[in-house]
């Protein structure tokens, strides 16, 4: 048996980012500690001395949550394959460097282990050794000749604010480096004594008490954060400030507001306390819940009555006469414009439109256990009664939308439609159901909304001039909102779930409801919404005391628009529209396709290569349609392009991107019921993003934002990879290039050849 060599393990340890012992790396302490722990686990399990054939060992891919990879300097001697290191003994002894890279979050370190593989004779003794200086927050490694003393100039002297450096230790014992001969590998750790009364430490310690008290008060349950939280930025200690970071940037606005997401998300929230040049950080693991006010309608099949009418039958019926109905869906859209054939901008994207008058009825529904006269649930910082909140939130005549902190339903639809929609709601006095809400639910079963319309028929007849709520005289009420006084339920599609629906005559044995005005007039209910009053307060805070977004979103359904968020991320193309639309995450403005479809704007259709000056969409309504093949219909496949700026209805929300850029959507509006595709269950989406950063927009965790916006530079999307759903082939005949970005416009070149 060949005499085995003595163990020679040289460990090189260096950061992948530039660090030095003079730098206090407090911001990465959590990551550093995790990597150090994993390193200790790996190094304690390795025995790399005197290796022979068959001394194979495992290379783990993960240690305590830290990802691990390994590279061999001599693959002929030690081969890394399938998670194992396979040893091949050579004719002579070999030294192989194994580089382990350990990564956790955004921090990575590499460790180099020296393995000795025996040959036919003994190896010569080592001529040098590595000495690692671990300063706690940074690392330095030097090579020292065997049997020599480390030169004094090579020994680091760490400078850690608030601490006094004592010396270098091995196994907690101070090592006198001025006399120690180096005849082995050393890992030395800096020892410090904290300076008593340090002003820095005192101030930072006091700040942490204030920060953590504020956190405990604002989020008593860190596993269920479902409302906006203003994070503390000023602890009230002179010279000290607090900064915040999140592992999911979309939930944290630049002004330090933590915002619920459109899907439940676990995040690491990092607080950074700063005093002069010193930083200290702590990480909190919390769960930001899906916002309670994200709602939807029931599945379409629940509305079929055998007569062919589906979920989009009879949307609000006050759309202009120039809009055409398509089949039984009756989803009406603006007449498509002629194709643009020059670089000029249309006179106005708002030409050729007709005004739309909508006069809906709002019926407050109260029970013996929940009344609108109850004092609970007042708007933050306001003394509005519940009925005052209803009138302000919907925008009844004589109220001021500014009292909401943003927009009422009426003012929102007037602005998003560029003045096309005149929305004039009438809020009735409460209709009393003389039983508890629990008894009402157990008595009338699943369709409480139908029962509420049925029970309130006589009440509506006696308290309205019903013809005033049929603006276009088609025999149907423009819209009905049933707002109940009790809290809602989070059970999706349950009895108390907010949704838009239709009152179909004879549906499930419910009687016909007919509103009368004299002997000659009969007007029937059609589209309606069922929702809790509490939605006005969910997500509300001092700046926005009345939160109207849920009622605005559901009103979008009443106009005929579908949801853009993903109902089920286990089937179909996931990701929805990433939250960036009123019909997705209930914030900001309606997107350009919504407005084109409803006739609120007129797009320019591109059928040849052209350069266009796009004015900012929130102000101008201007957009482009780039079709696969233009057949003078919106019910086909095309791209929609506009210029986004954080102005108008986007200006209030921290969730919207702050940067300006060109938005590009891919739409397949092929008709079905009413559309063949949707953003939940079909193989491709009804409407999707083309991301400037080439992100995967069908991921269930996709959140749309700044990376989707095309700018002058930084765009990663390769237009050669674009393909139309219609043919399933790549189409290099389309490309979009941003030539100029200004405050109010962008100049865009479209390279196009029509199919």
């Amino acid at each position: 048996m060949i005499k085995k060599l003595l163990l020679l393990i040289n460990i090189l340890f260096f950061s992948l980012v530039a660090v030095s012992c003079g730098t206090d790396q407090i911001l990465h302490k959590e990551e550093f500690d995790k990597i150090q722990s994993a390193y200790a686990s790996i190094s304690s399990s390795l025995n790399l001395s005197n290796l022979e054939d068959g001394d194979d060992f495992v290379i783990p891919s993960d240690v305590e949550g830290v990802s691990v990879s390994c590279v061999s300097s001599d693959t002929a001697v030690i081969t890394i394959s399938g998670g194992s290191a396979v040893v091949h003994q050579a004719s002579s002894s070999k030294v192989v460097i194994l580089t382990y890279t350990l990564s956790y979050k955004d921090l990575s370190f590499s460790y180099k282990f020296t393995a000795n593989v025996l040959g036919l004779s003994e190896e010569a003794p080592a001529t040098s050794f590595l000495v690692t200086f671990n300063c706690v927050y940074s690392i330095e490694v030097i090579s020292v000749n065997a049997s020599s003393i480390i030169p004094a100039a090579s020994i680091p002297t760490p400078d850690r604010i608030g601490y006094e450096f004592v010396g270098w230790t091995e196994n907690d014992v101070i090592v006198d480096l001025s006399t120690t001969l180096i005849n082995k590998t050393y890992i030395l750790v800096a020892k410090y004594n904290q300076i008593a009364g340090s002003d820095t430490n005192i101030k930072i310690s006091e700040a942490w008490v204030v920060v953590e008290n504020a956190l405990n008060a604002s989020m008593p349950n860190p596993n269920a954060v479902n409302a906006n939280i203003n994070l503390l930025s000023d602890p009230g200690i002179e010279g000290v400030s607090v900064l915040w970071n999140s592992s999911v940037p979309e939930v944290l606005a630049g002004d330090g507001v933590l915002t619920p997401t459109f899907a439940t998300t676990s995040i690491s929230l990092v607080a950074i306390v700063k005093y002069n040049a010193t930083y200290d950080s702590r990480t909190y693991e919390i769960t930001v819940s899906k916002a309670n006010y994200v709602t939807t309608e029931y599945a379409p099949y629940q509305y079929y009555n055998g007569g062919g009418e589906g979920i989009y039958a009879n949307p609000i019926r006050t759309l202009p006469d120039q809009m055409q109905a398509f089949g039984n869906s009756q989803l009406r859209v603006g007449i498509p414009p002629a194709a643009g054939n020059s670089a000029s901008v249309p006179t106005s994207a708002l030409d050729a439109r007709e005004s739309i008058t909508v006069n809906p009825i709002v019926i407050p529904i109260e029970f013996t256990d929940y009344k609108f006269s109850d004092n609970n649930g007042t708007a933050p910082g306001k003394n509005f009664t519940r009925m005052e909140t209803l009138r302000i939130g919907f925008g009844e005549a004589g109220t001021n939308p500014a009292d909401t902190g943003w927009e009422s339903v009426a003012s929102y639809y007037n602005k998003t439609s560029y003045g096309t929609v005149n929305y004039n709601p009438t809020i009735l006095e409460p209709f009393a159901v003389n039983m508890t809400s629990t008894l009402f639910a157990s008595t009338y079963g699943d369709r409480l909304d139908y029962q509420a319309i049925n029970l309130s028929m006589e009440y509506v007849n006696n308290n309205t001039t019903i013809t005033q709520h049929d603006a276009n005289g088609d025999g149907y009420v423009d819209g009905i909102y049933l707002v109940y006084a009790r809290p809602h339920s989070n059970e999706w599609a349950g009895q108390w779930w907010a949704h838009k629906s239709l009152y179909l005559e004879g549906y499930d044995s419910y009687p016909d409801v007919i509103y009368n005005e004299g002997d000659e007039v009969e007007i029937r209910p059609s589209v309606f919404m069922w929702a809790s009053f509490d939605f006005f307060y969910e997500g509300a805070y001092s700046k926005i005391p009345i939160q109207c977004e849920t009622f605005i979103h559901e009103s979008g359904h009443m106009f005929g628009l579908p949801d853009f968020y993903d109902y089920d991320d286990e089937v179909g193309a996931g990701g929805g529209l990433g939250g960036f639309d009123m019909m997705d995450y209930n914030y900001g403005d309606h997107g350009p396709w919504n407005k084109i479809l409803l006739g609120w704007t007129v797009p320019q259709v591109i059928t040849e290569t052209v350069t266009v000056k796009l004015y900012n969409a929130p102000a101008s309504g201007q957009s482009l349609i780039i079709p696969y093949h233009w057949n003078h219909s919106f019910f086909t496949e095309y791209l929609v392009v506009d210029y986004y700026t954080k102005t108008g209805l986007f200006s209030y929300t921290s969730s919207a991107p702050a940067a300006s850029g060109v938005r590009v959507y891919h739409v397949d509006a092929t008709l079905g019921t009413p559309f063949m595709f949707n953003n939940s269950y079909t193989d491709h989406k009804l409407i999707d993003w083309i991301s400037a950063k080439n992100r995967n927009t069908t991921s269930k965790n996709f959140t749309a934002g700044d990376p989707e916006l095309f700018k002058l530079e930084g765009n990663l999307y390769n237009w050669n990879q674009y393909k139309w759903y219609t043919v399933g082939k790549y189409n290099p005949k389309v490309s979009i290039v941003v030539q100029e970005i200004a405050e109010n416009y962008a100049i865009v070149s479209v390279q196009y050849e029509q199919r």
Side-chain angles (χ1 to χ4, degrees), residues 521-533:
V521 177
E522 291 186 353
I523 297 177
R524 299 174 184 272
S526 178
V527 66
F528 69 88
M529 175 184 175
W530 170 256
S532 170
F533 170 83

Side-chain angles (χ1 to χ4, degrees), residues 52-65:
E52 297 177 322
D53 287 343
D55 289 342
D56 303 341
F57 51 96
V58 174
I59 305 291
S61 62
D62 181 278
V63 176
E64 302 172 355

Side-chain angles (χ1 to χ4, degrees), residues 489-506:
S489 165
N490 283 325
E491 179 189 359
W492 199 87
Q495 291 173 304
W496 303 104
W497 182 259
H499 62 274
K500 162 261 182 187
S501 188
L502 302 168
Y503 195 92
L504 301 177
E505 299 152 14

Side-chain angles (χ1 to χ4, degrees), residues 255-333:
D255 53 1
V257 178
L258 190 66
T259 306
T261 62
F262 61 94
T264 298
T265 305
S266 296
I267 70 170
S268 296
L269 183 66
V270 181
I272 305 164
V273 172
K274 177 180 182 294
Y275 176 64
N276 292 334
T278 302
Y279 296 81
D280 194 13
S281 66
R282 296 182 185 179
T283 301
Y284 307 91
E285 302 300 326
I286 66 174
T287 300
V288 182
S289 300
K290 181 177 180 179
N292 289 335
Y293 48 83
V294 175
T295 60
T296 187
E297 60 219 10
Y298 290 95
Y301 64 82
Q302 295 185 348
Y303 293 116
Y304 291 146
N305 65 351
E309 288 194 309
I311 191 170
Y312 290 99
N314 303 326
I316 287 181
R317 296 171 180 273
T318 49
L319 300 176
D321 293 338
Q322 72 183 43
M323 293 188 179
Q324 302 173 1
F326 287 81
N328 290 327
S329 71
Q330 297 186 33
L331 178 62
R332 303 179 183 184
V333 300

Side-chain angles (χ1 to χ4, degrees), residues 399-627:
T399 61
N400 185 354
D403 286 335
T404 69
W406 180 47
E407 303 289 345
S408 66
V409 179
S411 65
Y412 178 93
Y413 274 99
N414 184 262
K415 289 183 179 180
T416 191
S417 68
Y418 305 98
T420 300
V421 175
N422 300 312
Y423 183 97
N424 307 304
T426 296
I427 289 78
L428 303 184
E429 291 300 316
F431 170 70
V433 177
N434 294 320
M435 62 179 74
T436 66
S437 58
T438 303
L439 180 59
F440 181 70
S442 63
T443 301
Y444 294 114
D446 292 338
R447 294 313 299 263
L448 302 184
D449 49 358
Y450 263 64
Q451 192 61 47
I453 285 186
N454 184 34
L455 292 175
S456 65
M457 177 178 68
E458 183 177 350
Y459 178 80
V460 172
N461 273 331
N462 293 335
N463 289 275
T464 64
T465 302
I466 198 64
T467 52
Q468 293 180 359
H469 302 286
D470 178 15
N472 66 350
D474 67 352
Y476 291 90
V477 177
D478 292 344
I480 299 173
Y481 294 84
L482 303 168
V483 183
Y484 54 83
R486 64 153 279 158
H488 67 85
S489 165
N490 283 325
E491 179 189 359
W492 199 87
Q495 291 173 304
W496 303 104
W497 182 259
H499 62 274
K500 162 261 182 187
S501 188
L502 302 168
Y503 195 92
L504 301 177
E505 299 152 14
Y507 169 80
D508 201 19
S509 302
Y510 280 98
D512 289 353
V513 171
I514 301 174
Y515 303 122
N516 297 306
E517 186 175 320
D519 295 336
E520 303 300 323
V521 177
E522 291 186 353
I523 297 177
R524 299 174 184 272
S526 178
V527 66
F528 69 88
M529 175 184 175
W530 170 256
S532 170
F533 170 83
D534 284 4
F535 281 115
F536 279 118
Y537 295 149
E538 290 202 0
Y541 60 106
S542 58
K543 291 183 180 179
I544 302 182
I546 300 176
Q547 182 57 273
C548 302
E549 288 174 328
T550 293
F551 294 93
I552 291 169
H553 172 97
E554 294 299 330
S555 296
H557 290 316
M558 295 172 79
F559 276 106
L561 297 173
D563 278 317
F564 293 154
Y565 65 88
D566 189 4
Y567 296 169
D568 186 344
D569 56 30
E570 299 300 323
V571 296
L577 204 58
F580 196 178
D581 193 284
M582 178 51 70
M583 298 314 297
D584 192 325
Y585 185 36
N586 294 17
Y587 81 77
D589 202 353
H590 279 292
W593 185 65
N594 309 17
K595 301 181 182 186
I596 292 169
L597 201 66
L598 295 174
W600 297 344
T601 65
V602 179
Q604 181 181 0
V605 179
I606 303 300
T607 57
E608 64 179 12
T609 296
V610 67
T611 297
V612 178
K613 189 174 187 179
L614 277 174
Y615 290 93
N616 85 76
S620 71
Q622 187 184 357
S623 61
L624 309 178
I625 279 183
I626 305 172

